[in-house]
């Protein structure tokens, strides 16, 4: 349905769109927070479960890096227990979250 720019109907539709966008952003942050918590609490086991859930691929937690070719992993790929790759940001997710807000 078309509304005249500046009309009360158009303004109401715009408010509805803005509300939905805010709800979607909040939901995205909730999902991201749950994923981060899952990785922190359960590590590779959580990641393997999510790969199976979303990609339909069963990978043993200890085999995550081996499931990809060296080219797919890239030279900077490292296990979590090896610490961050040289030059990697120590806190990339909080920065990303701040930009999203």
């Amino acid at each position: 349905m078309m509304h005249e720019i500046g009309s009360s109907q158009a303004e109401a539709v715009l408010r509805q769109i803005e509300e939905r966008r805010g709800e979607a952003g909040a939901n995205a942050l909730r999902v991201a927070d749950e994923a981060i918590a899952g990785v922190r609490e359960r590590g590779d086991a959580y990641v393997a479960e999510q790969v199976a859930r979303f990609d339909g691929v069963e990978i043993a937690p200890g085999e995550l890096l081996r499931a990809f070719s060296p080219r797919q992993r890239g030279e900077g790929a490292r296990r979590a227990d090896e610490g961050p790759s040289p030059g990697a940001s120590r806190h990339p997710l909080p920065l990303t979250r701040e930009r999203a807000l």
Side-chain angles (χ1 to χ4, degrees), residues 51-67:
V51 168
R53 177 179 173 197
F54 292 105
D55 299 324
V57 177
E58 297 288 331
I59 301 172
E63 299 296 316
L64 283 171
L65 283 180
R66 291 189 196 116

Side-chain angles (χ1 to χ4, degrees), residues 33-52:
D33 287 343
E34 288 174 3
I36 292 166
V39 170
R40 284 184 175 152
E41 291 170 14
R42 302 189 45 240
D44 286 353
Y46 177 83
V47 174
E49 286 175 10
Q50 299 306 303
V51 168

